[in-house]
Amino acid sequence: MSTTVQTATDIRPFHVDTLDEKLTELHRRISATRWPTRELVQDRSQGVQLATLQQLARYWTTEYDWRKAEAKLNALPQVTTEIDGVDIHFIHAKSAHDNALPLIMTHGWPGSITELIDSVGPLTDPTAHGGRAEDAFHLVLPSLPGYGFSGEPVEVGWDLGRTARAWAELMSRLGYTSYVAQGGDVGAGVTDSMGRQAPEGLIGIHTNLLVPALSGTMPTDTDEERSAAAQIATFQKSGEGYFIEMATRPQTIGYALLDSPVALAAWMVDHDTDAYYKIARAFVEGQPSGNLTRDHILDNITLYWLTGTGASTARSYWEAYGPDAPAARQQPLAPPTIPFAFTAFPGEIWRTPRSWVEASYPNVIYFHEVDKGGHFAAWEEPELFSSELRAAFSSLR
């Protein structure tokens, strides 16, 4: 009999093992879906199109195999540890190359660690992907609280700043005394908060979504700046329905997300125009954009369904952006003075000008515009995304 006492700081191995009954129930619920009539427009202005979602549901029940995603996850070193009362699940993939730089990468919504795992190879073993051994990273890929295999918070207050502090504790617990951070979408908010908090050991951050542009007034002196401002205005006028609902009434939408897999899928694919049409083409026309294949899209949606995290992920928006959340009463921290790097992807909700980056962060060490990829850059273009991170942090090694 073991006499070992488990402590809150223990790091425990994790293995995904889904019961067959859960997959059978998923298929039953998809087959029992009550479908609405077809939308009355020819585009997505009324929401996710019926043809797109019916093709997604057909593929989900007839061709998709969750066990392949499960095996892919289990091939990577997964662990959990308790931080601030919540079990945090993460992938910890160490490089075999000497002097690899530790990197913590944070996903967003409606993403998960599934959108990051195809970057593991290019980042930990760059020599196999056209890079140099000295560009290697040790990777820490955590699931946000309430997402995937991480535990759900049982109290309010898990805003971006609290998650950022948890990530600093995680890196310290892993023994990393010097590291960098990257984030997109919600993960960009966490990474921005880490930079502002400047925990000991954090030497630089990179994002592919300019967080300050969502809440602050950006310059509109040039055509490029005015174009970016117009794109944000369009998103705020007709594209952020999901954002408003989750930031104000996450529990309400949570009932549909936990009860109907098709409702969950519709909610998740209706994020932004560029990503939606790429996903629609993958299912309706069989033409994926980069790594946004039917299987990869359903890996992510199925993870949400099997873990029952539709409501808890929605609550993360209430915590981060809701007017009634504790975070709404907090004064923002000053911009980070540590090195900041940014990559602009053409399919993002808005095309960020360099001038906006420099107006938001006082220590910009890298800015680059690439020619493909969108909001889910690490997912859609993992090789390009990885090469950007190698270049962005090269001066910090």
Side-chain angles (χ1 to χ4, degrees), residues 282-304:
F283 283 102
V284 177
E285 302 173 21
Q287 297 179 359
S289 175
N291 220 31
L292 282 177
T293 65
R294 293 179 297 183
D295 283 349
H296 286 150
I297 293 159
L298 285 173
D299 288 346
N300 187 51
I301 296 172
T302 306
L303 175 63
Y304 272 65

Side-chain angles (χ1 to χ4, degrees), residues 156-389:
V156 298
W158 271 95
D159 56 16
L160 299 174
R162 188 168 177 178
T163 302
R165 290 188 292 274
W167 279 193
E169 166 61 24
L170 175 58
M171 296 304 279
S172 175
R173 191 172 296 181
L174 293 173
Y176 292 129
T177 58
S178 180
Y179 63 93
V180 293
Q182 141 67 28
D185 193 79
V186 174
V190 173
T191 303
D192 174 83
S193 293
M194 291 181 73
R196 292 170 192 270
Q197 293 169 4
E200 184 177 358
L202 181 63
I203 61 172
I205 62 175
H206 174 280
T207 72
N208 48 284
L209 181 77
L210 192 70
V211 174
L214 288 171
S215 56
T217 301
M218 295 288 113
T220 54
D221 299 323
T222 67
D223 288 343
E224 185 183 24
E225 291 170 345
R226 285 189 287 272
S227 176
Q231 290 173 321
I232 293 177
T234 297
F235 174 70
Q236 293 174 333
K237 181 179 179 180
S238 61
E240 65 173 358
Y242 74 91
F243 187 106
I244 295 171
E245 178 70 14
M246 295 199 298
T248 58
R249 293 294 185 271
Q251 191 70 14
T252 301
I253 190 61
Y255 297 109
L257 304 182
L258 268 291
D259 187 64
S260 167
V262 169
L264 175 68
W267 191 249
M268 292 175 68
V269 303
D270 195 20
H271 181 272
D272 66 274
T273 300
D274 178 75
Y276 170 75
Y277 281 125
K278 287 172 178 175
I279 291 170
R281 284 195 295 271
F283 283 102
V284 177
E285 302 173 21
Q287 297 179 359
S289 175
N291 220 31
L292 282 177
T293 65
R294 293 179 297 183
D295 283 349
H296 286 150
I297 293 159
L298 285 173
D299 288 346
N300 187 51
I301 296 172
T302 306
L303 175 63
Y304 272 65
W305 176 260
L306 293 175
T307 56
T309 49
S312 57
T313 58
R315 290 188 204 115
S316 74
Y317 269 63
W318 183 92
E319 291 281 12
Y321 313 110
D324 299 319
R329 298 186 290 273
Q330 299 173 3
Q331 292 298 316
L333 298 174
T337 58
I338 64 173
F340 178 79
F342 188 85
T343 301
F345 290 88
E348 185 54 272
I349 298 170
W350 70 90
R351 189 69 178 259
T352 297
R354 181 178 189 130
S355 59
W356 282 14
V357 175
E358 293 176 340
S360 302
Y361 297 94
N363 190 7
V364 177
I365 60 166
Y366 182 85
F367 176 88
H368 190 213
E369 293 181 285
V370 296
D371 59 2
K372 57 182 178 179
H375 185 78
F376 302 101
W379 197 6
E380 184 181 353
E381 300 289 345
E383 295 279 354
L384 174 61
F385 178 80
S386 300
S387 69
E388 280 298 298
L389 293 188

Side-chain angles (χ1 to χ4, degrees), residues 37-53:
T37 54
R38 183 187 176 279
E39 65 281 354
L40 304 179
V41 293
Q42 299 301 313
D43 56 20
R44 72 178 288 259
S45 59
Q46 290 189 342
V48 176
Q49 294 160 294
L50 182 64
T52 297
L53 210 56

Side-chain angles (χ1 to χ4, degrees), residues 23 26 44 59 89 91 95 118 144 146 152 174 201 249 316 320 354 358 391 397:
L23 299 176
L26 168 61
R44 72 178 288 259
Y59 187 84
H89 165 265
I91 291 169
S95 174
D118 284 329
L144 288 163
E152 289 189 16
L174 293 173
R249 293 294 185 271
S316 74
R354 181 178 189 130
E358 293 176 340
R397 293 179 179 274

